[in-house]
mmCIF file of all heavy atoms in Angstrom:
data_model
loop_
_atom_site.group_PDB
_atom_site.id
_atom_site.type_symbol
_atom_site.label_atom_id
_atom_site.label_comp_id
_atom_site.label_asym_id
_atom_site.label_seq_id
_atom_site.Cartn_x
_atom_site.Cartn_y
_atom_site.Cartn_z
ATOM 1 N N LYS A 49 78.596 91.761 122.849
ATOM 2 C CA LYS A 49 78.155 90.803 121.833
ATOM 3 C C LYS A 49 78.260 89.412 122.420
ATOM 4 O O LYS A 49 79.014 89.178 123.360
ATOM 5 C CB LYS A 49 79.041 90.882 120.573
ATOM 6 C CG LYS A 49 78.856 92.166 119.774
ATOM 7 C CD LYS A 49 79.563 92.061 118.434
ATOM 8 C CE LYS A 49 79.340 93.335 117.628
ATOM 9 N NZ LYS A 49 79.244 93.100 116.209
ATOM 10 N N TYR A 102 78.669 87.303 106.668
ATOM 11 C CA TYR A 102 77.827 87.505 107.852
ATOM 12 C C TYR A 102 76.886 88.688 107.669
ATOM 13 O O TYR A 102 75.699 88.612 107.992
ATOM 14 C CB TYR A 102 78.710 87.731 109.085
ATOM 15 C CG TYR A 102 77.932 88.193 110.290
ATOM 16 C CD1 TYR A 102 77.101 87.307 110.975
ATOM 17 C CD2 TYR A 102 77.980 89.518 110.731
ATOM 18 C CE1 TYR A 102 76.352 87.724 112.071
ATOM 19 C CE2 TYR A 102 77.239 89.942 111.822
ATOM 20 C CZ TYR A 102 76.433 89.050 112.485
ATOM 21 O OH TYR A 102 75.688 89.461 113.571
ATOM 22 N N TRP A 103 77.420 89.802 107.152
ATOM 23 C CA TRP A 103 76.611 91.021 107.067
ATOM 24 C C TRP A 103 75.506 90.896 106.026
ATOM 25 O O TRP A 103 74.402 91.406 106.206
ATOM 26 C CB TRP A 103 77.514 92.229 106.786
ATOM 27 C CG TRP A 103 78.350 92.514 107.994
ATOM 28 C CD1 TRP A 103 79.681 92.288 108.145
ATOM 29 C CD2 TRP A 103 77.880 93.003 109.250
ATOM 30 N NE1 TRP A 103 80.064 92.620 109.417
ATOM 31 C CE2 TRP A 103 78.986 93.064 110.110
ATOM 32 C CE3 TRP A 103 76.623 93.409 109.735
ATOM 33 C CZ2 TRP A 103 78.877 93.510 111.431
ATOM 34 C CZ3 TRP A 103 76.517 93.855 111.051
ATOM 35 C CH2 TRP A 103 77.639 93.902 111.877
ATOM 36 N N ALA A 106 72.960 88.736 107.578
ATOM 37 C CA ALA A 106 72.237 89.482 108.622
ATOM 38 C C ALA A 106 71.199 90.399 107.979
ATOM 39 O O ALA A 106 70.082 90.562 108.488
ATOM 40 C CB ALA A 106 73.215 90.302 109.456
ATOM 41 N N HIS A 107 71.542 90.961 106.845
ATOM 42 C CA HIS A 107 70.588 91.802 106.102
ATOM 43 C C HIS A 107 69.352 90.987 105.751
ATOM 44 O O HIS A 107 68.218 91.416 105.947
ATOM 45 C CB HIS A 107 71.271 92.336 104.839
ATOM 46 C CG HIS A 107 70.337 92.976 103.862
ATOM 47 N ND1 HIS A 107 69.665 92.247 102.902
ATOM 48 C CD2 HIS A 107 69.941 94.253 103.712
ATOM 49 C CE1 HIS A 107 68.906 93.053 102.202
ATOM 50 N NE2 HIS A 107 69.053 94.280 102.659
ATOM 51 N N TRP A 110 67.301 90.208 109.011
ATOM 52 C CA TRP A 110 66.703 91.289 109.801
ATOM 53 C C TRP A 110 66.122 92.437 108.992
ATOM 54 O O TRP A 110 65.349 93.231 109.512
ATOM 55 C CB TRP A 110 67.736 91.838 110.788
ATOM 56 C CG TRP A 110 68.102 90.840 111.836
ATOM 57 C CD1 TRP A 110 69.239 90.083 111.895
ATOM 58 C CD2 TRP A 110 67.321 90.441 112.968
ATOM 59 N NE1 TRP A 110 69.215 89.253 112.985
ATOM 60 C CE2 TRP A 110 68.042 89.445 113.666
ATOM 61 C CE3 TRP A 110 66.067 90.833 113.465
ATOM 62 C CZ2 TRP A 110 67.568 88.848 114.827
ATOM 63 C CZ3 TRP A 110 65.594 90.235 114.628
ATOM 64 C CH2 TRP A 110 66.339 89.262 115.285
ATOM 65 N N VAL A 111 66.528 92.544 107.733
ATOM 66 C CA VAL A 111 66.075 93.710 106.965
ATOM 67 C C VAL A 111 64.989 93.348 105.956
ATOM 68 O O VAL A 111 64.053 94.118 105.745
ATOM 69 C CB VAL A 111 67.279 94.399 106.253
ATOM 70 C CG1 VAL A 111 66.812 95.591 105.433
ATOM 71 C CG2 VAL A 111 68.331 94.826 107.276
ATOM 72 N N LEU A 136 61.265 95.067 115.252
ATOM 73 C CA LEU A 136 61.890 94.645 113.988
ATOM 74 C C LEU A 136 62.449 95.857 113.234
ATOM 75 O O LEU A 136 63.508 95.786 112.618
ATOM 76 C CB LEU A 136 60.877 93.897 113.108
ATOM 77 C CG LEU A 136 60.519 92.472 113.559
ATOM 78 C CD1 LEU A 136 59.501 91.856 112.605
ATOM 79 C CD2 LEU A 136 61.769 91.582 113.639
ATOM 80 N N TRP A 137 61.728 96.966 113.312
ATOM 81 C CA TRP A 137 62.178 98.183 112.615
ATOM 82 C C TRP A 137 63.520 98.661 113.201
ATOM 83 O O TRP A 137 64.452 98.980 112.470
ATOM 84 C CB TRP A 137 61.102 99.276 112.743
ATOM 85 C CG TRP A 137 61.447 100.511 111.982
ATOM 86 C CD1 TRP A 137 61.217 100.748 110.649
ATOM 87 C CD2 TRP A 137 62.129 101.687 112.487
ATOM 88 N NE1 TRP A 137 61.702 101.989 110.303
ATOM 89 C CE2 TRP A 137 62.264 102.591 111.408
ATOM 90 C CE3 TRP A 137 62.624 102.056 113.735
ATOM 91 C CZ2 TRP A 137 62.866 103.834 111.538
ATOM 92 C CZ3 TRP A 137 63.238 103.309 113.866
ATOM 93 C CH2 TRP A 137 63.354 104.171 112.790
ATOM 94 N N PHE A 138 63.613 98.654 114.529
ATOM 95 C CA PHE A 138 64.876 99.085 115.166
ATOM 96 C C PHE A 138 66.010 98.124 114.831
ATOM 97 O O PHE A 138 67.146 98.539 114.583
ATOM 98 C CB PHE A 138 64.712 99.190 116.690
ATOM 99 C CG PHE A 138 64.184 100.532 117.124
ATOM 100 C CD1 PHE A 138 62.882 100.668 117.575
ATOM 101 C CD2 PHE A 138 64.986 101.674 117.055
ATOM 102 C CE1 PHE A 138 62.379 101.915 117.954
ATOM 103 C CE2 PHE A 138 64.489 102.924 117.427
ATOM 104 C CZ PHE A 138 63.181 103.036 117.885
ATOM 105 N N ALA A 139 65.684 96.823 114.828
ATOM 106 C CA ALA A 139 66.726 95.829 114.517
ATOM 107 C C ALA A 139 67.231 96.047 113.092
ATOM 108 O O ALA A 139 68.445 96.038 112.835
ATOM 109 C CB ALA A 139 66.171 94.419 114.686
ATOM 110 N N ALA A 140 66.294 96.275 112.167
ATOM 111 C CA ALA A 140 66.681 96.478 110.761
ATOM 112 C C ALA A 140 67.538 97.741 110.638
ATOM 113 O O ALA A 140 68.560 97.751 109.935
ATOM 114 C CB ALA A 140 65.434 96.581 109.884
ATOM 115 N N ARG A 141 67.159 98.797 111.379
ATOM 116 C CA ARG A 141 67.929 100.037 111.293
ATOM 117 C C ARG A 141 69.349 99.835 111.817
ATOM 118 O O ARG A 141 70.331 100.308 111.232
ATOM 119 C CB ARG A 141 67.231 101.143 112.095
ATOM 120 C CG ARG A 141 67.883 102.499 111.851
ATOM 121 C CD ARG A 141 67.185 103.608 112.557
ATOM 122 N NE ARG A 141 67.355 103.500 114.003
ATOM 123 C CZ ARG A 141 67.113 104.499 114.842
ATOM 124 N NH1 ARG A 141 66.673 105.655 114.391
ATOM 125 N NH2 ARG A 141 67.286 104.339 116.138
ATOM 126 N N LYS A 142 69.460 99.066 112.896
ATOM 127 C CA LYS A 142 70.789 98.814 113.480
ATOM 128 C C LYS A 142 71.675 98.046 112.483
ATOM 129 O O LYS A 142 72.848 98.382 112.293
ATOM 130 C CB LYS A 142 70.606 98.007 114.779
ATOM 131 C CG LYS A 142 71.885 97.778 115.522
ATOM 132 C CD LYS A 142 71.625 97.093 116.845
ATOM 133 C CE LYS A 142 72.948 96.576 117.379
ATOM 134 N NZ LYS A 142 72.855 95.938 118.663
ATOM 135 N N ILE A 143 71.097 97.024 111.867
ATOM 136 C CA ILE A 143 71.887 96.227 110.915
ATOM 137 C C ILE A 143 72.269 97.090 109.702
ATOM 138 O O ILE A 143 73.417 97.050 109.238
ATOM 139 C CB ILE A 143 71.088 94.982 110.449
ATOM 140 C CG1 ILE A 143 70.873 94.006 111.611
ATOM 141 C CG2 ILE A 143 71.766 94.272 109.275
ATOM 142 C CD1 ILE A 143 72.110 93.282 112.100
ATOM 143 N N LYS A 144 71.314 97.886 109.220
ATOM 144 C CA LYS A 144 71.622 98.712 108.042
ATOM 145 C C LYS A 144 72.739 99.711 108.349
ATOM 146 O O LYS A 144 73.618 99.946 107.536
ATOM 147 C CB LYS A 144 70.355 99.446 107.577
ATOM 148 C CG LYS A 144 69.422 98.528 106.787
ATOM 149 C CD LYS A 144 68.356 99.284 106.046
ATOM 150 C CE LYS A 144 67.179 99.563 106.908
ATOM 151 N NZ LYS A 144 65.998 100.080 106.257
ATOM 152 N N ARG A 145 72.697 100.272 109.565
ATOM 153 C CA ARG A 145 73.762 101.224 109.942
ATOM 154 C C ARG A 145 75.111 100.527 110.019
ATOM 155 O O ARG A 145 76.120 101.037 109.551
ATOM 156 C CB ARG A 145 73.439 101.852 111.303
ATOM 157 C CG ARG A 145 72.411 102.928 111.185
ATOM 158 C CD ARG A 145 72.211 103.604 112.525
ATOM 159 N NE ARG A 145 71.276 104.698 112.365
ATOM 160 C CZ ARG A 145 70.743 105.368 113.359
ATOM 161 N NH1 ARG A 145 71.053 105.072 114.602
ATOM 162 N NH2 ARG A 145 69.916 106.362 113.120
ATOM 163 N N ALA A 146 75.099 99.342 110.645
ATOM 164 C CA ALA A 146 76.365 98.592 110.777
ATOM 165 C C ALA A 146 76.895 98.241 109.385
ATOM 166 O O ALA A 146 78.103 98.333 109.122
ATOM 167 C CB ALA A 146 76.146 97.338 111.611
ATOM 168 N N MET A 147 75.984 97.840 108.485
ATOM 169 C CA MET A 147 76.405 97.470 107.123
ATOM 170 C C MET A 147 76.943 98.676 106.370
ATOM 171 O O MET A 147 77.855 98.559 105.560
ATOM 172 C CB MET A 147 75.237 96.851 106.358
ATOM 173 C CG MET A 147 74.836 95.489 106.868
ATOM 174 S SD MET A 147 73.428 94.870 105.965
ATOM 175 C CE MET A 147 74.151 94.551 104.355
ATOM 176 N N HIS A 148 76.363 99.826 106.658
ATOM 177 C CA HIS A 148 76.847 101.047 105.999
ATOM 178 C C HIS A 148 78.277 101.335 106.457
ATOM 179 O O HIS A 148 79.158 101.614 105.645
ATOM 180 C CB HIS A 148 75.906 102.206 106.328
ATOM 181 C CG HIS A 148 76.263 103.460 105.608
ATOM 182 N ND1 HIS A 148 75.950 103.667 104.275
ATOM 183 C CD2 HIS A 148 76.945 104.560 106.018
ATOM 184 C CE1 HIS A 148 76.419 104.845 103.907
ATOM 185 N NE2 HIS A 148 77.025 105.403 104.941
ATOM 186 N N HIS A 149 78.517 101.238 107.762
ATOM 187 C CA HIS A 149 79.879 101.495 108.271
ATOM 188 C C HIS A 149 80.858 100.453 107.756
ATOM 189 O O HIS A 149 82.004 100.777 107.434
ATOM 190 C CB HIS A 149 79.875 101.523 109.804
ATOM 191 C CG HIS A 149 79.169 102.720 110.345
ATOM 192 N ND1 HIS A 149 79.524 104.019 110.030
ATOM 193 C CD2 HIS A 149 78.084 102.834 111.156
ATOM 194 C CE1 HIS A 149 78.706 104.867 110.636
ATOM 195 N NE2 HIS A 149 77.820 104.168 111.312
ATOM 196 N N HIS A 150 80.394 99.204 107.673
ATOM 197 C CA HIS A 150 81.251 98.146 107.138
ATOM 198 C C HIS A 150 81.613 98.438 105.685
ATOM 199 O O HIS A 150 82.750 98.248 105.253
ATOM 200 C CB HIS A 150 80.512 96.805 107.253
ATOM 201 C CG HIS A 150 81.218 95.642 106.631
ATOM 202 N ND1 HIS A 150 81.252 95.428 105.262
ATOM 203 C CD2 HIS A 150 81.920 94.616 107.171
ATOM 204 C CE1 HIS A 150 81.946 94.336 105.013
ATOM 205 N NE2 HIS A 150 82.360 93.823 106.158
ATOM 206 N N GLY A 151 80.617 98.921 104.945
ATOM 207 C CA GLY A 151 80.833 99.213 103.524
ATOM 208 C C GLY A 151 79.951 98.383 102.622
ATOM 209 O O GLY A 151 79.517 98.848 101.578
ATOM 210 N N VAL A 152 79.656 97.155 103.035
ATOM 211 C CA VAL A 152 78.882 96.264 102.167
ATOM 212 C C VAL A 152 77.459 96.808 101.975
ATOM 213 O O VAL A 152 76.822 96.577 100.936
ATOM 214 C CB VAL A 152 78.896 94.813 102.707
ATOM 215 C CG1 VAL A 152 78.038 94.631 103.931
ATOM 216 C CG2 VAL A 152 78.505 93.814 101.643
ATOM 217 N N GLY A 153 77.010 97.588 102.941
ATOM 218 C CA GLY A 153 75.667 98.164 102.856
ATOM 219 C C GLY A 153 75.572 99.319 101.876
ATOM 220 O O GLY A 153 74.496 99.861 101.653
ATOM 221 N N ARG A 154 76.671 99.710 101.292
ATOM 222 C CA ARG A 154 76.643 100.825 100.332
ATOM 223 C C ARG A 154 76.474 100.341 98.902
ATOM 224 O O ARG A 154 76.359 101.136 97.970
ATOM 225 C CB ARG A 154 77.935 101.650 100.449
ATOM 226 C CG ARG A 154 78.075 102.232 101.835
ATOM 227 C CD ARG A 154 79.426 102.908 102.045
ATOM 228 N NE ARG A 154 79.624 103.089 103.480
ATOM 229 C CZ ARG A 154 80.132 104.177 104.033
ATOM 230 N NH1 ARG A 154 80.514 105.192 103.303
ATOM 231 N NH2 ARG A 154 80.272 104.243 105.344
ATOM 232 N N HIS A 155 76.519 99.005 98.722
ATOM 233 C CA HIS A 155 76.394 98.465 97.366
ATOM 234 C C HIS A 155 74.929 98.328 96.970
ATOM 235 O O HIS A 155 74.046 98.247 97.829
ATOM 236 C CB HIS A 155 77.041 97.078 97.288
ATOM 237 C CG HIS A 155 78.486 97.062 97.695
ATOM 238 N ND1 HIS A 155 79.387 98.019 97.273
ATOM 239 C CD2 HIS A 155 79.194 96.214 98.483
ATOM 240 C CE1 HIS A 155 80.578 97.748 97.794
ATOM 241 N NE2 HIS A 155 80.486 96.667 98.538
ATOM 242 N N MET A 160 75.621 93.401 96.060
ATOM 243 C CA MET A 160 75.781 92.763 97.376
ATOM 244 C C MET A 160 75.522 91.255 97.272
ATOM 245 O O MET A 160 76.305 90.444 97.784
ATOM 246 C CB MET A 160 74.787 93.398 98.362
ATOM 247 C CG MET A 160 74.856 92.833 99.745
ATOM 248 S SD MET A 160 73.632 93.578 100.841
ATOM 249 C CE MET A 160 72.149 92.671 100.363
#
Side-chain angles (χ1 to χ4, degrees):
K49 290 190 178 214
Y102 170 72
W103 290 107
H107 168 273
W110 293 103
V111 179
L136 286 180
W137 184 84
F138 274 107
R141 189 177 69 164
K142 184 175 166 178
I143 293 290
K144 282 194 275 190
R145 282 185 176 170
M147 290 178 70
H148 185 78
H149 290 303
H150 175 284
V152 73
R154 299 173 196 221
H155 303 316
M160 180 182 80

